[in-house]
Amino acid sequence: MLSLVQTRLYNLDARKIIAANVGAAGCIPHTRDINPPTNECIASVNEDGQLYNNKLKALLAELTLSNTESKYVYADAYAIFEDIFRNYASYGFDIADYACCHIAGTHGGLFPCLTGAQVCDDRSKYVSWDALHPSYAANIIAAKHLMDGGSNFISPLNIRQLVMG
């Protein structure tokens, strides 16, 4: 039996649905600054996010079985950004633990990017734009993983396969 949301989406002709999970919130500058002192991602925050992510993935599998007319895709933002944070140099970044646009904090994460904030000289070298958000360069990498990536980042199909199929 379809849920109310599924029924509404179905009636709107939505047949190809992508659901993104919660990203690696334990790695962003804000989380690192409010959980000092550390230069590492905050494991407890990421573990909480993964509890939700596992439930979302199971729900999408269940929806796939109950509604064969629609395709449900799991976009693993957590895996993408965790990989970028852990392997930042291989992606061309110089800094993974500090915000490009910052006001205060060990990681530049105590405040969002506001008037009067300092902005880095080369934002393409930072994983994080500000206390909460990935940089443009990190988002481009994420988009490429979602568009053409393998099942470690998006499953059971990437966006190109979903659109073409």
Side-chain angles (χ1 to χ4, degrees):
M1 182 167 171
L2 296 178
S3 72
L4 178 60
V5 172
Q6 284 178 280
T7 301
R8 290 179 74 191
L9 288 171
Y10 187 86
N11 290 339
L12 292 169
D13 292 327
R15 299 294 186 276
K16 298 177 180 183
I17 300 163
I18 300 170
N21 67 7
V22 175
C27 298
I28 64 173
H30 177 72
T31 305
R32 290 179 186 208
D33 271 344
I34 63 171
N35 293 283
T38 184
N39 286 325
E40 301 298 321
C41 296
I42 308 303
S44 61
V45 174
N46 283 341
E47 289 164 5
D48 289 345
Q50 285 294 69
L51 290 174
Y52 169 81
N53 293 344
N54 291 336
K55 290 178 183 179
L56 176 62
K57 192 170 189 175
L59 174 63
L60 292 177
E62 182 181 315
L63 291 173
T64 298
L65 293 175
S66 68
N67 183 6
T68 57
E69 292 183 41
S70 297
K71 292 183 180 181
Y72 296 89
V73 173
Y74 180 72
D76 198 343
Y78 179 91
I80 292 170
F81 284 103
E82 182 186 46
D83 187 56
I84 293 170
F85 278 113
R86 291 192 190 282
N87 303 301
Y88 64 93
S90 69
Y91 286 104
F93 295 108
D94 291 339
I95 300 166
D97 64 344
Y98 199 82
C100 172
C101 183
H102 58 277
I103 295 175
T106 304
H107 302 280
L110 290 181
F111 299 98
C113 187
L114 301 169
T115 302
Q118 295 178 12
V119 178
C120 63
D121 291 330
D122 186 356
R123 60 188 72 183
S124 71
K125 298 299 182 184
Y126 287 72
V127 172
S128 297
W129 162 245
D130 65 5
L132 303 170
H133 304 99
S135 65
Y136 177 80
N139 277 321
I140 291 294
I141 292 165
K144 288 179 180 179
H145 282 313
L146 295 173
M147 183 61 88
D148 295 308
S151 61
N152 54 327
F153 295 132
I154 186 164
S155 65
L157 306 165
N158 62 39
I159 293 172
R160 188 172 312 279
Q161 293 166 333
L162 180 66
V163 170
M164 302 305 281

